[in-house]
Amino acid sequence: MSDKTTANAKTQSDVLFEIKDLCKDFGKGLVLDHISTTIKQGEVVVIIGPSGSGKSTFLRSLNLLEVPTSGHILFEGADITDKKLDIDAYRQKIGMVFQHFNLFPHMTILRNMTLAPVKLLHMDEKEAEALAMGYLERVGLADKAQAYPSQLSGGQKQRIAIVRALCMNPDVMLFDEPTSALDPEMVGEVLEVMRDLAAGGMTMLIVTHEMGFAKEVASRVMFLDEGKIVEDGTPEKLFEHPESDRLQSFLAKIL
Amino acid sequence: MDGFLASFKNNFIDDNRYMYLVEGLGTTLLVTAFAAILGILLGFLVAIIRSTYDKTGKMKIPNFICVIYLTVIRGTPSMVQLLIMYYVIFASAAVGKPLVAILSFGINSGAYVAEIVRSGIMSVDGGQFEAGRSLGFSYAQTMLYIIMPQAFKNVLPALANEFIVLLKETSICGYIGLMDLTRGGDIIRSRTYEAFMPLIAVALIYLALVMFLSAMVRKLEGRLRESER
């Protein structure tokens, strides 16, 4: 009996996000049109699609930065679309990286990283700093600990934004076009950090236009168009054998 | 020169008349300081309510009350407000004149501070708010740790200006018979029948105070700007 329970628990905890009939309407028609899918632990899901396809809205719905019009999002078994639920507690487990970094300009890099663990996880100040320094070393920015965000390049800022989110020890990381605001020569350093993260087994959902990166790192690619998941599968399947006309023409345009 | 010295002695030394200025200055500083504190408290409160309503649509009724407050206070002269506070609201209550002045100027200043702070909150990039919330901070925590410090920095010059205006505005305290710096100088004038000395002295003291305040603000601004080096 105990074996069965563990097995059940395992399959249940295996699923990180269960998304059911997710709709979002900004008042001009559906941006997300009944999206249903499941995200499992350890998956690296790259979401691609033309601009306006709803991919950013989809990603931002997963931590309720966009409040869905209808549908349900289950995160680790809890329905986070339930208004009675304390979303802040769940957001602590969902790291997010933005296109425009959104570092806090009035704090040092170290403070940017330790603020949330200290205030929300009640981590000891020293402990949080040690944790942050560890991450800074991993991304090669330990010497910037006392710098302010305005003193960093775009690539450096985005690397900090990633490790700032990691300091909360999240179960999943959401990336909303993390390299779109970067100068081309800085894209590589950010992708490198993300590649490491994926190799370390982090569950990741990434909205990006970096198709090379998608092919290399994704365990699964989702093609969104007009608020629907049009195709969903391995990178080989989507990039080498696209089935739908829409994906074929999308790939033809960008590759 | 002898005439100047004689006039100086007559206006400030004889009968210890300088004490009118000293006591008046004390009242001016007391009223300004406490009115500023009240103004900041009220202003921040109103600004947070107003921008919470703007951002989330919550706090509809408090927001409505705030709008009325802002409209009435900014739509009437502060001198009329002071007179109403003294002769109408506290007409039958035994409340000290300094307290009446503090309340009146504080409530007045709060309305201006509120709009300054609200503009500061609105000037902070929306991404900052999202970054705070995505880390798991509540609305209030995001405001406190992330938005307000940046908003405060953005509006510091405007805020300082408001308090310099407030300092000078307290010069109407004499209308409720409260002896502030201006009234003190005016009393000397009425005793010595000389206008030049006491009024210029009063003007110079205000000027010195304002210059001192401005210098302090510049210093504070410099420290807050560290993050933009």
Side-chain angles (χ1 to χ4, degrees):
Chain A
M1 182 221 152
S2 66
D3 274 351
K4 216 173 186 179
T5 348
T6 6
N8 269 339
K10 185 142 172 51
T11 35
Q12 263 182 4
S13 70
D14 224 354
V15 174
L16 215 50
F17 278 112
E18 199 176 339
I19 296 138
K20 294 179 194 161
D21 283 327
L22 182 66
C23 291
K24 177 70 187 181
D25 189 344
F26 286 112
K28 295 176 193 166
L30 287 178
V31 178
L32 298 179
D33 189 356
H34 296 89
I35 289 188
S36 296
T37 188
T38 302
I39 310 290
K40 291 204 187 83
Q41 206 139 47
E43 278 191 310
V44 176
V45 183
V46 170
I47 303 160
I48 59 171
S51 65
S53 58
K55 51 193 193 303
S56 273
T57 307
F58 172 62
L59 195 74
R60 290 160 53 83
S61 298
L62 296 181
N63 66 352
L64 254 52
L65 281 185
E66 301 292 353
V67 180
T69 311
S70 66
H72 295 275
I73 300 166
L74 272 67
F75 174 67
E76 297 181 345
D79 186 352
I80 58 171
T81 51
D82 183 351
K83 290 218 164 32
K84 276 173 265 161
L85 196 119
D86 175 21
I87 183 63
D88 298 329
Y90 289 90
R91 280 187 178 138
Q92 294 178 12
K93 306 249 115 227
I94 307 174
M96 182 149 195
V97 174
F98 299 87
Q99 184 178 354
H100 295 288
F101 333 125
N102 298 346
L103 296 182
F104 307 134
H106 58 302
M107 297 176 191
T108 61
I109 296 308
L110 198 61
R111 190 72 186 141
N112 259 277
M113 297 172 68
T114 58
L115 182 72
V118 168
K119 300 288 182 193
L120 296 173
L121 304 179
H122 306 293
M123 203 183 272
D124 182 72
E125 200 82 48
K126 287 263 174 298
E127 195 187 336
E129 278 176 19
L131 174 78
M133 287 309 297
Y135 278 120
L136 283 176
E137 265 156 40
R138 254 175 67 181
V139 296
L141 291 170
D143 57 325
K144 301 292 184 192
Q146 295 306 327
Y148 283 93
S150 60
Q151 296 164 296
L152 304 188
S153 72
Q156 290 172 331
K157 280 183 201 172
Q158 196 61 302
R159 283 187 278 162
I160 297 296
I162 294 171
V163 288
R164 177 176 71 179
L166 290 178
C167 280
M168 286 298 283
N169 192 25
D171 294 341
V172 56
M173 288 281 286
L174 311 178
F175 294 84
D176 190 5
E177 303 203 23
T179 57
S180 298
L182 295 176
D183 291 335
E185 75 268 25
M186 291 171 182
V187 170
E189 63 192 68
V190 171
L191 294 183
E192 188 58 42
V193 172
M194 292 168 65
R195 199 174 284 126
D196 277 358
L197 205 53
M202 175 63 78
T203 312
M204 297 160 77
L205 280 95
I206 308 163
V207 171
T208 187
H209 299 289
E210 298 289 333
M211 294 303 149
F213 177 77
K215 271 184 208 170
E216 178 199 348
V217 174
S219 61
R220 179 177 161 195
V221 178
M222 245 184 228
F223 173 65
L224 253 70
D225 194 23
E226 294 175 355
K228 290 190 176 88
I229 299 175
V230 178
E231 285 196 46
D232 184 353
T234 62
E236 297 83 58
K237 177 171 168 277
L238 264 80
F239 289 121
E240 312 304 333
H241 313 287
E243 284 167 7
S244 61
D245 293 344
R246 280 193 282 181
L247 178 53
Q248 281 166 12
S249 71
F250 174 71
L251 292 174
K253 267 182 232 155
I254 57 157
L255 290 180
Chain B
M1 192 65 199
D2 280 352
F4 181 84
L5 285 177
S7 172
F8 187 87
K9 184 168 172 294
N10 182 32
N11 279 292
F12 302 127
I13 313 292
D14 292 352
D15 296 336
N16 282 342
R17 291 203 176 103
Y18 74 95
M19 283 307 290
Y20 288 115
L21 295 185
V22 172
E23 280 173 27
L25 175 62
T27 304
T28 291
L29 291 178
L30 178 90
V31 170
T32 305
F34 282 98
I37 292 168
L38 181 59
I40 287 181
L41 292 177
L42 267 177
F44 272 73
L45 181 70
V46 171
I48 287 169
I49 291 171
R50 296 260 292 138
S51 42
T52 300
Y53 175 76
D54 287 349
K55 272 186 204 221
T56 65
K58 287 176 190 163
M59 299 220 197
K60 203 167 176 182
I61 292 164
N63 179 64
F64 183 67
I65 294 167
C66 289
V67 171
I68 292 176
Y69 162 68
L70 294 176
T71 309
V72 170
I73 295 299
R74 296 197 304 166
T76 53
S78 54
M79 194 163 105
V80 176
Q81 291 164 17
L82 179 67
L83 292 174
I84 290 174
M85 186 69 84
Y86 185 66
Y87 289 110
V88 180
I89 296 172
F90 287 109
S92 53
V95 174
K97 286 173 183 174
L99 185 59
V100 173
I102 287 166
L103 282 174
S104 181
F105 289 116
I107 290 170
N108 178 273
S109 184
Y112 294 93
V113 170
E115 288 303 90
I116 291 168
V117 173
R118 190 169 76 100
S119 76
I121 292 172
M122 290 308 181
S123 74
V124 177
D125 179 52
Q128 292 290 312
F129 200 81
E130 292 189 343
R133 295 308 301 271
S134 78
L135 284 167
F137 286 113
S138 66
Y139 180 89
Q141 287 171 320
T142 306
M143 272 289 178
L144 181 65
Y145 299 131
I146 295 155
I147 306 299
M148 288 315 257
Q150 297 183 59
F152 183 69
K153 192 172 86 174
N154 291 348
V155 299
L156 193 63
L159 219 46
N161 199 44
E162 166 56 26
F163 293 125
I164 287 170
V165 170
L166 174 65
L167 172 76
K168 292 183 288 182
E169 199 129 282
T170 59
S171 63
I172 58 173
C173 278
Y175 279 91
I176 60 166
L178 178 61
M179 198 192 77
D180 70 324
L181 180 59
T182 305
R183 180 41 91 76
D186 205 40
I187 290 174
I188 297 176
R189 184 191 59 77
S190 68
R191 299 281 150 86
T192 61
Y193 300 107
E194 283 185 55
F196 181 82
M197 269 287 172
L199 295 184
I200 294 295
V202 165
L204 286 176
I205 294 170
Y206 277 114
L207 185 63
L209 284 174
V210 169
M211 286 171 69
F212 173 73
L213 281 177
S214 306
M216 294 301 285
V217 171
R218 269 197 302 278
K219 223 173 172 176
L220 185 59
E221 267 187 86
R223 272 179 53 186
L224 289 172
R225 288 226 182 289
E226 251 178 53
S227 58
E228 283 166 22
R229 268 176 312 183

